[in-house]
Amino acid sequence: MAKTLISIKNLKASIEGKKILKGINLEIKEGEVHAIMGPNGSGKSTLASVLAGREIYEVTNGSVTFQGKDMLSMSPEERSREGMFLAFQYPVEIPGVSITNFMKAAVEQHREHKGLEQLTPSEFLKMMQEKKDLVEIEAKLANRAVNTGFSGGEKKKNEVFQMAMLEPKFAVLDETDSGLDIDALRIVANGVNKLKNKENAFLVITHYQRLLDYIVPDVVHVLYNGKIVKTGGKELALELEEKGYDWIKKEND
Ligand SMILES: Nc1ncnc2c1ncn2[C@@H]1O[C@H](COP(=O)(O)OP(=O)(O)OP(=O)(O)O)[C@@H](O)[C@H]1O
Ligand SMILES: [Mg+2]
C-alpha cells in the first residue's frame, strides 16, 4: 500500500472575512497525480495559496498533514524544505538575479536541510545541465534574470525547471493562465510526466481537459463553491468537458 503523502481535513479558509474554502477533504498518496477542476471562482487558486502558506488567507478550520507533520504551522520556506513545491512561492520577478544563482541558493538550502554537503560548482552545473535536458529548456533561459521580461510560456518553463531542480515530494501546479498555448501545456505535462515516480505526488489545477490528455491523472476532483463536490477517475474530466459545469451547479445549489 502506498503511503499517504498529504492529508487535508475539513479545511476552511477566508479572505477579508469572506469564506472561500468551506471544508476541503483530500488525501493524496505517494505515486499519485490528482487533478482539480471547477468553474471560475470556486476556490482552486485559494486552495493552492493556502497550501503554499500565503498569509493573506486566514485558515479558520481543519488540518493539513504533510508526511506526518502539521503543515499549517510551517512557514512557506519550511514547507518548501520539507519537500513541497508551489510555483508561486517564488517571487514573480527578481531583476539582476540569474536563474543559475537563484537555483543554487535554493538547492543548497534544501541540501542543508537534508544534511547533505554543498555541491561543488562543477557538480551544480552538471545537475543544472541534466535537469535542463530532462525538461527540455534552452540553455539561454537559465542565464537570464529570474522571470524578468519572461513571456507566460517562459515563466512556465522556468517553473518546471525549478521543480526539476528541487525534486519535490509533492508539487502543486496551478494552471490558471488561460493564455498558455499548447506548447506551454505540453511543457508542464512533460515536466510532470518525467519527474513523477513512485514516491512523489502532484496536484494539478487546470481548466483544460487538454492538459489531462498529456498528464493522465489518477484522480479528478471538482471544486465548486469552496468544496470538493465530485471525485472520479480520468473519465470525469472528459465528462466535464462534454457536459460543462451546469449539472454540477444544479446538483449543488
Ligand atoms: N485577494 C482576494 N480578495 C478578495 N477576494 C478574493 C481574493 N482572492 C480570491 N478571492 C475570491 O475568492 C473566490 C475564489 O477565488 P479563486 O481564485 O480561488 O478561484 P479559482 O477557482 O482559482 O478561479 P479561476 O478558475 O478563475 O482561476 C473568488 O470569488 C475570488 O473573487
Ligand atoms: Mg484560479
Side-chain angles (χ1 to χ4, degrees), residues 31-35 131 133-136 160-161 163-164 168 171 173 175 182-204 209-218 234:
E32 290 181 343
V33 175
H34 287 232
K131 302 297 182 183
D133 292 345
L134 182 75
V135 294
E136 295 164 47
V160 172
F161 174 60
M163 182 167 80
L173 304 167
E175 303 310 317
I182 199 78
D183 287 342
L185 287 179
R186 222 175 261 141
I187 288 160
V188 174
N190 282 342
V192 172
N193 288 335
K194 286 185 181 167
L195 295 172
K196 76 177 211 189
N197 59 43
K198 286 200 182 80
E199 272 137 38
N200 61 20
F202 293 84
L203 180 62
V204 181
Q209 155 53 33
R210 289 189 298 176
L211 180 64
L212 304 180
D213 286 338
Y214 301 111
I215 306 175
V216 179
D218 299 291
K234 59 179 190 294

Side-chain angles (χ1 to χ4, degrees), residues 143-163:
N143 298 325
R144 291 185 39 190
V146 179
N147 283 354
T148 308
F150 278 22
S151 75
E154 286 169 343
K155 275 189 188 151
K156 215 74 241 174
K157 283 189 196 180
N158 185 35
E159 209 171 280
V160 172
F161 174 60
Q162 286 177 9
M163 182 167 80

Side-chain angles (χ1 to χ4, degrees), residues 39-46 48 174-177 205 207:
N40 293 130
S42 55
K44 303 182 298 296
S45 296
T46 302
D174 187 359
E175 303 310 317
T176 45
D177 190 345
I205 298 171
H207 284 297

